[in-house]
Amino acid sequence: METPCAPFDIDADGVQGYLHRPDGDPAGAVALTHGAGGDCTSELLRAMAAGFAERGLLVLRYNLPFRQRRASGPPHRAHAAQDRDGIVAAAAAVRALEDGPLILAGHSYGGRQSTMLAAECPDVADALVLLSYPLHPPKKPEKSRIEHLPQLRTPSVFVHGDRDPFGTPDEMRAALELVPAEHRLILIEGGRHGLDPGRGDVVARTVDAAADLTSGR
């Protein structure tokens, strides 16, 4: 069951999305965003937001700047830095509401941009949750997207379907050997890039792993 949420729009920062409040005082917060082909209303993001809120976390489910500019279509590579600026703004907006541990979470492109930001600015968040990290375009393993992983020092949870065309389980394991920070890999049996939230206890397993990483922080 989805948790109640309210529209969230701070014109000064350009952060747009939905805020999920837990019952009682929050134990931390999550800034959760989408991939290249969707937006913050996706079934996966709604399910994840509900799962984190039920665990006692404040959740901002938000759109990246490229999706705010247009309702459909992929992001432009030349504007990726603007999307990372949008993640910074979302993190700041959440920290203004909750001073506990902050998790940056994102599906596919949103997760990749979050890791790139954290590699550059480790203090931006206390942990990362990467849903279907896109190691490379489908059928193009030579075009890897892992060059920044050796600089990633933020504890991270990677959630990956074993049928994801953007990276096999073995490719994911090899890529994570580059990450010096504490990290965990959750493999979803039969999972594809979209990560059906009803398959393999993906929400519960993700929330539990993220909670373990941030406990005591």
Side-chain angles (χ1 to χ4, degrees):
M1 180 180 297
E2 291 190 27
T3 55
C5 60
F8 185 86
D9 189 342
I10 300 179
D11 290 337
D13 293 329
V15 181
Q16 297 175 356
Y18 298 89
L19 195 65
H20 299 249
R21 293 186 180 276
D23 292 334
D25 293 333
V30 180
L32 173 66
T33 197
H34 55 87
D39 61 24
C40 72
T41 66
S42 74
E43 181 183 4
L44 176 63
L45 262 61
R46 295 198 312 268
M48 283 291 174
F52 279 116
E54 289 169 4
R55 191 62 178 255
L57 300 175
L58 179 73
V59 184
L60 174 61
R61 174 167 54 91
Y62 69 100
N63 279 332
L64 290 168
F66 85 88
R67 184 56 70 228
Q68 294 181 36
R69 289 192 294 268
R70 61 186 189 279
S72 63
H76 195 288
R77 182 181 301 179
H79 298 156
Q82 295 177 18
D83 289 330
R84 290 194 292 277
D85 288 343
I87 297 172
V88 172
V94 172
R95 285 197 186 278
L97 299 171
E98 167 55 37
D99 60 4
L102 172 63
I103 298 170
L104 287 184
H107 178 234
S108 192
Y109 174 82
R112 180 187 173 216
Q113 295 303 320
S114 295
T115 61
M116 293 175 69
L117 174 63
E120 297 170 357
C121 307
D123 294 337
V124 71
D126 298 287
L128 300 171
V129 171
L130 299 321
L131 307 168
S132 299
Y133 184 91
L135 288 176
H136 56 71
K139 299 181 180 180
K140 296 181 180 179
E142 72 280 3
K143 295 187 176 182
S144 66
R145 297 161 171 167
I146 61 174
E147 62 280 353
H148 63 287
L149 293 185
Q151 284 73 53
L152 188 60
R153 288 173 167 75
T154 305
S156 304
V157 175
F158 290 80
V159 185
H160 204 73
D162 64 3
R163 297 185 182 179
D164 191 332
F166 288 77
T168 67
D170 285 345
E171 288 174 329
M172 179 60 73
R173 293 187 187 97
L176 294 187
E177 290 181 1
L178 301 173
V179 178
E182 179 182 1
H183 58 272
R184 303 182 188 184
L185 173 61
I186 298 174
L187 283 176
I188 305 301
E189 184 176 356
R192 299 185 181 276
H193 195 64
L195 280 181
D196 178 358
R199 176 184 287 275
D201 295 326
V202 61
V203 173
R205 293 171 66 189
T206 301
V207 170
D208 288 347
D212 288 344
L213 280 185
T214 56
S215 62
R217 293 184 184 274

